[in-house]
Amino acid sequence: MSPIRPIESDWLRMRRAADGRAREAAMELVQVLVEHLGPAPALALVDLGSGTGANPAWLAPAIHRTYAQRGAAAPAQHWLLLDHDPDLLAAHDVGERPEVSSGQAVVAAVDDLAQVLGQASRPTVVTCSALLDLLTVPQIEGLVQATTTAAADGALLSLTVTGEVGLSPGHPDDDLILSIFNAHQQRSADAADVAAFDSGLDFGLDAGLAGPAGWQTAAEAFAGRGWEVRQRTTAWLLDEAHTPLLRRWLSDRVEAVLELLDSRDPRVAVVAAWWEVRSAQIDRGELRAEVGHVDGLALPSS
Ligand SMILES: C[S@@+](CC[C@H](N)C(=O)[O-])C[C@H]1O[C@@H](n2cnc3c(N)ncnc32)[C@H](O)[C@@H]1O
């Protein structure tokens, strides 16, 4: 199984610290999840699109800490990491976490979740981070259906991009770049379909990735199945203290924008001029970015 568009492991490494800081704003969701799970000798958790394991690396200690703060014994945590990219999974570091009792990595797609939950020996908490925006609407609906049908022990789906980006200082072409980028995020998962987008940006969500609609799609599907849904904002706040991440994040966006434009499109020159200005601002430590993410928790109604 090989992904059509593999995610680079150095990108996952680079974003970990900013992700961890952003998720502190959603600790309340962890507390609600722990309250729902209650005292237990052991927990089973599955992490979809686990990559190199950043989500369990953050969430396992957060769960452990939350039990301790409640004066309760922290359960053993048994994590199952799933990803369709064997190279990323091979580099996971979850076994190094003292809060993780076992961490098994299995090459599998999100679409395999129903089968995985069907084989689980106990109710399982479904988790993911930085994944939903990369899935199609039917994949997200399948994830929700698998989770609710298996009567899983809740779902904590973190760090889905919302499409909201604030750059300071502003630039007159920010909105143009953002709209082309968001269109790129909603392209079809099938690389062959990218060419179809070159003719314009007018296409339906159903045809491609959920992009910024990822969490909302999941939330509506969970609510439609009677689950309770909560969410918290988990934005990245990037400034001169995050220069390498800021540069990489913005240059990847420029690359994506250019990928969507025909080389003769007059907007190519606009994008190049915009990047020159932004790149110089990053060099001088003058650029700040707020990058919208959302964490969502869905629990079966009690
Ligand atoms: C942006 S990365 C996030 C990785 C990790 N969760 C983190 O927070 O660092 C998205 C991950 O989802 C995986 N992925 C994307 N689509 C998938 C699918 N349909 N099935 C399984 N894994 C998928 C990618 O291989 C990648 O590891």
Side-chain angles (χ1 to χ4, degrees):
M1 183 179 298
S2 288
I4 297 170
R5 294 169 176 271
I7 305 284
E8 290 165 9
S9 59
D10 68 323
W11 166 244
L12 297 184
R13 211 169 28 249
M14 198 177 269
R15 59 176 290 170
R16 267 200 192 201
D19 283 346
R21 264 192 308 276
R23 291 184 69 177
E24 292 301 327
M27 266 309 291
E28 195 188 331
L29 298 185
V30 179
Q31 287 154 3
V32 173
L33 173 65
V34 163
E35 193 174 322
H36 164 78
L37 295 170
L43 301 177
L45 306 103
V46 61
D47 185 36
L48 300 168
S50 197
T52 53
N55 187 35
W58 186 88
L59 189 52
I63 290 174
H64 187 94
R65 213 166 51 238
T66 305
Y67 271 98
Q69 283 161 356
R70 296 168 64 87
Q77 294 186 39
H78 299 288
W79 281 88
L80 178 60
L81 283 57
L82 305 182
D83 202 290
H84 63 186
D85 187 330
D87 295 335
L88 290 178
L89 270 187
H92 86 79
D93 55 2
V94 172
E96 293 166 23
R97 300 287 341 170
E99 303 85 359
V100 173
S101 302
S102 70
Q104 191 193 353
V106 173
V107 178
V110 166
D111 300 338
D112 298 325
L113 180 62
Q115 196 186 342
V116 168
L117 292 177
Q119 290 167 353
S121 55
R122 60 164 72 96
T124 299
V125 181
V126 175
T127 74
C128 71
S129 65
L131 175 70
L132 291 184
D133 43 275
L134 299 177
L135 301 181
T136 63
V137 168
Q139 280 176 321
I140 294 173
E141 288 170 347
L143 182 164
V144 172
Q145 183 176 356
T147 304
T148 53
T149 304
D153 236 350
L156 183 57
L157 311 177
S158 303
L159 293 167
T160 305
V161 297
T162 63
E164 293 154 330
V165 169
L167 292 176
S168 174
H171 184 286
D173 293 321
D174 284 348
D175 288 347
L176 171 73
I177 311 282
L178 181 63
S179 67
I180 303 174
F181 179 79
N182 283 342
H184 180 275
Q185 289 307 94
Q186 290 167 342
R187 73 208 183 279
S188 169
D190 181 347
D193 286 346
V194 170
F197 298 153
D198 287 349
S199 55
L201 304 176
D202 179 23
F203 49 85
L205 275 181
D206 284 346
L209 302 184
W215 163 245
Q216 204 47 43
T217 302
E220 283 166 18
F222 275 118
R225 288 169 169 270
W227 280 38
E228 286 172 19
V229 174
R230 294 171 172 78
Q231 67 183 56
R232 287 289 175 276
T233 297
T234 46
W236 278 352
L237 302 171
L238 306 180
D239 57 19
E240 71 277 8
H242 310 89
T243 299
L245 180 61
L246 190 50
R247 174 171 292 286
R248 174 67 176 274
W249 168 74
L250 214 49
S251 65
D252 280 359
R253 289 173 79 87
V254 169
E255 209 174 290
V257 164
L258 292 175
E259 191 181 314
L260 202 57
L261 298 178
D262 184 277
S263 57
R264 288 157 303 184
D265 189 314
R267 290 174 296 178
V268 169
V270 176
V271 175
W274 180 89
W275 174 235
E276 208 174 302
V277 171
R278 290 321 202 176
S279 184
Q281 288 172 333
I282 295 172
D283 285 344
R284 294 193 297 270
E286 288 172 5
L287 188 65
R288 287 162 187 258
E290 180 165 346
V291 184
H293 294 113
V294 61
D295 279 27
L297 175 68
L299 296 176
S301 299
S302 42

PDB file of all heavy atoms in Angstrom, residues 137-163:
ATOM      1  N   VAL A 137     -14.957  13.384   1.645  1.00  0.00           N
ATOM      2  CA  VAL A 137     -16.190  13.379   2.447  1.00  0.00           C
ATOM      3  C   VAL A 137     -16.671  11.934   2.677  1.00  0.00           C
ATOM      4  O   VAL A 137     -16.983  11.557   3.817  1.00  0.00           O
ATOM      5  CB  VAL A 137     -17.267  14.275   1.790  1.00  0.00           C
ATOM      6  CG1 VAL A 137     -18.628  14.055   2.443  1.00  0.00           C
ATOM      7  CG2 VAL A 137     -16.849  15.741   1.891  1.00  0.00           C
ATOM      8  N   PRO A 138     -16.724  11.074   1.648  1.00  0.00           N
ATOM      9  CA  PRO A 138     -17.147   9.686   1.910  1.00  0.00           C
ATOM     10  C   PRO A 138     -16.211   8.958   2.891  1.00  0.00           C
ATOM     11  O   PRO A 138     -16.681   8.142   3.699  1.00  0.00           O
ATOM     12  CB  PRO A 138     -17.101   9.018   0.524  1.00  0.00           C
ATOM     13  CG  PRO A 138     -17.261  10.142  -0.439  1.00  0.00           C
ATOM     14  CD  PRO A 138     -16.601  11.327   0.192  1.00  0.00           C
ATOM     15  N   GLN A 139     -14.913   9.242   2.859  1.00  0.00           N
ATOM     16  CA  GLN A 139     -14.006   8.596   3.821  1.00  0.00           C
ATOM     17  C   GLN A 139     -14.332   9.043   5.248  1.00  0.00           C
ATOM     18  O   GLN A 139     -14.313   8.233   6.181  1.00  0.00           O
ATOM     19  CB  GLN A 139     -12.545   8.930   3.495  1.00  0.00           C
ATOM     20  CG  GLN A 139     -11.967   8.087   2.368  1.00  0.00           C
ATOM     21  CD  GLN A 139     -10.551   8.507   2.001  1.00  0.00           C
ATOM     22  OE1 GLN A 139     -10.223   9.702   1.969  1.00  0.00           O
ATOM     23  NE2 GLN A 139      -9.709   7.533   1.724  1.00  0.00           N
ATOM     24  N   ILE A 140     -14.616  10.329   5.422  1.00  0.00           N
ATOM     25  CA  ILE A 140     -14.949  10.826   6.769  1.00  0.00           C
ATOM     26  C   ILE A 140     -16.271  10.211   7.236  1.00  0.00           C
ATOM     27  O   ILE A 140     -16.403   9.763   8.378  1.00  0.00           O
ATOM     28  CB  ILE A 140     -15.023  12.371   6.779  1.00  0.00           C
ATOM     29  CG1 ILE A 140     -13.633  12.949   6.510  1.00  0.00           C
ATOM     30  CG2 ILE A 140     -15.569  12.883   8.106  1.00  0.00           C
ATOM     31  CD1 ILE A 140     -13.606  14.450   6.326  1.00  0.00           C
ATOM     32  N   GLU A 141     -17.236  10.154   6.330  1.00  0.00           N
ATOM     33  CA  GLU A 141     -18.526   9.548   6.706  1.00  0.00           C
ATOM     34  C   GLU A 141     -18.343   8.063   7.038  1.00  0.00           C
ATOM     35  O   GLU A 141     -18.970   7.545   7.962  1.00  0.00           O
ATOM     36  CB  GLU A 141     -19.540   9.764   5.581  1.00  0.00           C
ATOM     37  CG  GLU A 141     -19.971  11.228   5.533  1.00  0.00           C
ATOM     38  CD  GLU A 141     -20.796  11.581   4.301  1.00  0.00           C
ATOM     39  OE1 GLU A 141     -20.854  10.770   3.342  1.00  0.00           O
ATOM     40  OE2 GLU A 141     -21.358  12.689   4.297  1.00  0.00           O
ATOM     41  N   GLY A 142     -17.439   7.386   6.323  1.00  0.00           N
ATOM     42  CA  GLY A 142     -17.152   5.978   6.616  1.00  0.00           C
ATOM     43  C   GLY A 142     -16.494   5.826   7.982  1.00  0.00           C
ATOM     44  O   GLY A 142     -16.793   4.894   8.737  1.00  0.00           O
ATOM     45  N   LEU A 143     -15.586   6.758   8.287  1.00  0.00           N
ATOM     46  CA  LEU A 143     -14.913   6.754   9.604  1.00  0.00           C
ATOM     47  C   LEU A 143     -15.951   6.886  10.720  1.00  0.00           C
ATOM     48  O   LEU A 143     -15.929   6.160  11.712  1.00  0.00           O
ATOM     49  CB  LEU A 143     -13.914   7.916   9.610  1.00  0.00           C
ATOM     50  CG  LEU A 143     -12.995   8.209  10.780  1.00  0.00           C
ATOM     51  CD1 LEU A 143     -11.894   9.155  10.316  1.00  0.00           C
ATOM     52  CD2 LEU A 143     -13.687   8.784  11.981  1.00  0.00           C
ATOM     53  N   VAL A 144     -16.877   7.830  10.536  1.00  0.00           N
ATOM     54  CA  VAL A 144     -17.904   8.060  11.557  1.00  0.00           C
ATOM     55  C   VAL A 144     -18.824   6.848  11.656  1.00  0.00           C
ATOM     56  O   VAL A 144     -19.165   6.388  12.763  1.00  0.00           O
ATOM     57  CB  VAL A 144     -18.708   9.346  11.234  1.00  0.00           C
ATOM     58  CG1 VAL A 144     -19.901   9.490  12.163  1.00  0.00           C
ATOM     59  CG2 VAL A 144     -17.801  10.563  11.323  1.00  0.00           C
ATOM     60  N   GLN A 145     -19.191   6.295  10.520  1.00  0.00           N
ATOM     61  CA  GLN A 145     -20.077   5.121  10.534  1.00  0.00           C
ATOM     62  C   GLN A 145     -19.395   3.956  11.251  1.00  0.00           C
ATOM     63  O   GLN A 145     -19.999   3.284  12.093  1.00  0.00           O
ATOM     64  CB  GLN A 145     -20.433   4.722   9.101  1.00  0.00           C
ATOM     65  CG  GLN A 145     -21.403   3.558   9.078  1.00  0.00           C
ATOM     66  CD  GLN A 145     -21.856   3.212   7.667  1.00  0.00           C
ATOM     67  OE1 GLN A 145     -21.501   3.883   6.706  1.00  0.00           O
ATOM     68  NE2 GLN A 145     -22.653   2.169   7.549  1.00  0.00           N
ATOM     69  N   ALA A 146     -18.110   3.722  10.942  1.00  0.00           N
ATOM     70  CA  ALA A 146     -17.381   2.619  11.585  1.00  0.00           C
ATOM     71  C   ALA A 146     -17.303   2.839  13.092  1.00  0.00           C
ATOM     72  O   ALA A 146     -17.507   1.920  13.890  1.00  0.00           O
ATOM     73  CB  ALA A 146     -15.976   2.512  10.985  1.00  0.00           C
ATOM     74  N   THR A 147     -17.024   4.086  13.499  1.00  0.00           N
ATOM     75  CA  THR A 147     -16.862   4.411  14.922  1.00  0.00           C
ATOM     76  C   THR A 147     -18.169   4.229  15.681  1.00  0.00           C
ATOM     77  O   THR A 147     -18.203   3.606  16.751  1.00  0.00           O
ATOM     78  CB  THR A 147     -16.368   5.873  15.073  1.00  0.00           C
ATOM     79  OG1 THR A 147     -15.159   6.023  14.317  1.00  0.00           O
ATOM     80  CG2 THR A 147     -16.109   6.236  16.515  1.00  0.00           C
ATOM     81  N   THR A 148     -19.251   4.748  15.129  1.00  0.00           N
ATOM     82  CA  THR A 148     -20.534   4.690  15.848  1.00  0.00           C
ATOM     83  C   THR A 148     -21.121   3.281  15.799  1.00  0.00           C
ATOM     84  O   THR A 148     -21.705   2.821  16.778  1.00  0.00           O
ATOM     85  CB  THR A 148     -21.534   5.722  15.265  1.00  0.00           C
ATOM     86  OG1 THR A 148     -21.619   5.525  13.850  1.00  0.00           O
ATOM     87  CG2 THR A 148     -21.081   7.131  15.539  1.00  0.00           C
ATOM     88  N   THR A 149     -20.936   2.574  14.688  1.00  0.00           N
ATOM     89  CA  THR A 149     -21.486   1.217  14.572  1.00  0.00           C
ATOM     90  C   THR A 149     -20.789   0.273  15.543  1.00  0.00           C
ATOM     91  O   THR A 149     -21.412  -0.599  16.145  1.00  0.00           O
ATOM     92  CB  THR A 149     -21.322   0.685  13.125  1.00  0.00           C
ATOM     93  OG1 THR A 149     -21.938   1.623  12.254  1.00  0.00           O
ATOM     94  CG2 THR A 149     -21.965  -0.683  12.948  1.00  0.00           C
ATOM     95  N   ALA A 150     -19.484   0.470  15.725  1.00  0.00           N
ATOM     96  CA  ALA A 150     -18.728  -0.413  16.629  1.00  0.00           C
ATOM     97  C   ALA A 150     -18.924  -0.004  18.084  1.00  0.00           C
ATOM     98  O   ALA A 150     -18.327  -0.604  18.976  1.00  0.00           O
ATOM     99  CB  ALA A 150     -17.243  -0.375  16.276  1.00  0.00           C
ATOM    100  N   ALA A 151     -19.745   1.045  18.315  1.00  0.00           N
ATOM    101  CA  ALA A 151     -19.941   1.561  19.672  1.00  0.00           C
ATOM    102  C   ALA A 151     -18.589   1.821  20.329  1.00  0.00           C
ATOM    103  O   ALA A 151     -18.331   1.402  21.461  1.00  0.00           O
ATOM    104  CB  ALA A 151     -20.774   0.587  20.512  1.00  0.00           C
ATOM    105  N   ALA A 152     -17.730   2.494  19.591  1.00  0.00           N
ATOM    106  CA  ALA A 152     -16.406   2.835  20.118  1.00  0.00           C
ATOM    107  C   ALA A 152     -16.560   3.752  21.334  1.00  0.00           C
ATOM    108  O   ALA A 152     -17.639   4.300  21.581  1.00  0.00           O
ATOM    109  CB  ALA A 152     -15.579   3.513  19.032  1.00  0.00           C
ATOM    110  N   ASP A 153     -15.465   3.914  22.072  1.00  0.00           N
ATOM    111  CA  ASP A 153     -15.504   4.636  23.340  1.00  0.00           C
ATOM    112  C   ASP A 153     -15.293   6.131  23.155  1.00  0.00           C
ATOM    113  O   ASP A 153     -14.827   6.808  24.062  1.00  0.00           O
ATOM    114  CB  ASP A 153     -14.403   4.068  24.243  1.00  0.00           C
ATOM    115  CG  ASP A 153     -14.992   3.594  25.563  1.00  0.00           C
ATOM    116  OD1 ASP A 153     -16.164   3.887  25.819  1.00  0.00           O
ATOM    117  OD2 ASP A 153     -14.260   2.927  26.310  1.00  0.00           O
ATOM    118  N   GLY A 154     -15.620   6.664  21.990  1.00  0.00           N
ATOM    119  CA  GLY A 154     -15.440   8.083  21.728  1.00  0.00           C
ATOM    120  C   GLY A 154     -14.416   8.305  20.636  1.00  0.00           C
ATOM    121  O   GLY A 154     -13.659   7.392  20.275  1.00  0.00           O
ATOM    122  N   ALA A 155     -14.425   9.531  20.102  1.00  0.00           N
ATOM    123  CA  ALA A 155     -13.479   9.880  19.033  1.00  0.00           C
ATOM    124  C   ALA A 155     -12.931  11.272  19.304  1.00  0.00           C
ATOM    125  O   ALA A 155     -13.701  12.218  19.494  1.00  0.00           O
ATOM    126  CB  ALA A 155     -14.174   9.835  17.681  1.00  0.00           C
ATOM    127  N   LEU A 156     -11.612  11.387  19.361  1.00  0.00           N
ATOM    128  CA  LEU A 156     -10.954  12.683  19.530  1.00  0.00           C
ATOM    129  C   LEU A 156     -10.158  12.942  18.257  1.00  0.00           C
ATOM    130  O   LEU A 156      -9.132  12.302  18.019  1.00  0.00           O
ATOM    131  CB  LEU A 156     -10.034  12.656  20.759  1.00  0.00           C
ATOM    132  CG  LEU A 156      -9.340  13.978  21.099  1.00  0.00           C
ATOM    133  CD1 LEU A 156     -10.340  15.104  21.319  1.00  0.00           C
ATOM    134  CD2 LEU A 156      -8.453  13.818  22.333  1.00  0.00           C
ATOM    135  N   LEU A 157     -10.663  13.843  17.433  1.00  0.00           N
ATOM    136  CA  LEU A 157     -10.115  14.064  16.092  1.00  0.00           C
ATOM    137  C   LEU A 157      -9.501  15.469  16.073  1.00  0.00           C
ATOM    138  O   LEU A 157     -10.216  16.471  16.096  1.00  0.00           O
ATOM    139  CB  LEU A 157     -11.226  13.909  15.049  1.00  0.00           C
ATOM    140  CG  LEU A 157     -12.073  12.621  15.208  1.00  0.00           C
ATOM    141  CD1 LEU A 157     -13.201  12.570  14.181  1.00  0.00           C
ATOM    142  CD2 LEU A 157     -11.204  11.367  15.115  1.00  0.00           C
ATOM    143  N   SER A 158      -8.189  15.528  16.055  1.00  0.00           N
ATOM    144  CA  SER A 158      -7.484  16.779  16.369  1.00  0.00           C
ATOM    145  C   SER A 158      -6.836  17.438  15.152  1.00  0.00           C
ATOM    146  O   SER A 158      -6.543  16.771  14.155  1.00  0.00           O
ATOM    147  CB  SER A 158      -6.392  16.489  17.406  1.00  0.00           C
ATOM    148  OG  SER A 158      -6.970  15.912  18.554  1.00  0.00           O
ATOM    149  N   LEU A 159      -6.635  18.745  15.300  1.00  0.00           N
ATOM    150  CA  LEU A 159      -5.802  19.522  14.378  1.00  0.00           C
ATOM    151  C   LEU A 159      -6.238  19.438  12.918  1.00  0.00           C
ATOM    152  O   LEU A 159      -5.412  19.247  12.023  1.00  0.00           O
ATOM    153  CB  LEU A 159      -4.331  19.101  14.521  1.00  0.00           C
ATOM    154  CG  LEU A 159      -3.682  19.454  15.862  1.00  0.00           C
ATOM    155  CD1 LEU A 159      -2.354  18.735  16.035  1.00  0.00           C
ATOM    156  CD2 LEU A 159      -3.485  20.969  15.994  1.00  0.00           C
ATOM    157  N   THR A 160      -7.542  19.550  12.712  1.00  0.00           N
ATOM    158  CA  THR A 160      -8.035  19.653  11.333  1.00  0.00           C
ATOM    159  C   THR A 160      -7.930  21.109  10.897  1.00  0.00           C
ATOM    160  O   THR A 160      -8.373  22.008  11.627  1.00  0.00           O
ATOM    161  CB  THR A 160      -9.513  19.229  11.251  1.00  0.00           C
ATOM    162  OG1 THR A 160      -9.639  17.923  11.806  1.00  0.00           O
ATOM    163  CG2 THR A 160     -10.004  19.230   9.809  1.00  0.00           C
ATOM    164  N   VAL A 161      -7.366  21.365   9.736  1.00  0.00           N
ATOM    165  CA  VAL A 161      -7.260  22.756   9.299  1.00  0.00           C
ATOM    166  C   VAL A 161      -8.655  23.317   9.043  1.00  0.00           C
ATOM    167  O   VAL A 161      -9.556  22.606   8.605  1.00  0.00           O
ATOM    168  CB  VAL A 161      -6.393  22.943   8.024  1.00  0.00           C
ATOM    169  CG1 VAL A 161      -4.966  22.524   8.246  1.00  0.00           C
ATOM    170  CG2 VAL A 161      -6.980  22.207   6.845  1.00  0.00           C
ATOM    171  N   THR A 162      -8.832  24.594   9.369  1.00  0.00           N
ATOM    172  CA  THR A 162     -10.127  25.247   9.148  1.00  0.00           C
ATOM    173  C   THR A 162     -10.094  26.131   7.908  1.00  0.00           C
ATOM    174  O   THR A 162     -11.131  26.647   7.493  1.00  0.00           O
ATOM    175  CB  THR A 162     -10.491  26.133  10.351  1.00  0.00           C
ATOM    176  OG1 THR A 162      -9.484  27.169  10.440  1.00  0.00           O
ATOM    177  CG2 THR A 162     -10.544  25.350  11.634  1.00  0.00           C
ATOM    178  N   GLY A 163      -8.925  26.358   7.358  1.00  0.00           N
ATOM    179  CA  GLY A 163      -8.803  27.236   6.187  1.00  0.00           C
ATOM    180  C   GLY A 163      -8.608  28.694   6.579  1.00  0.00           C
ATOM    181  O   GLY A 163      -8.309  29.531   5.735  1.00  0.00           O
TER     182      GLY A 163
END
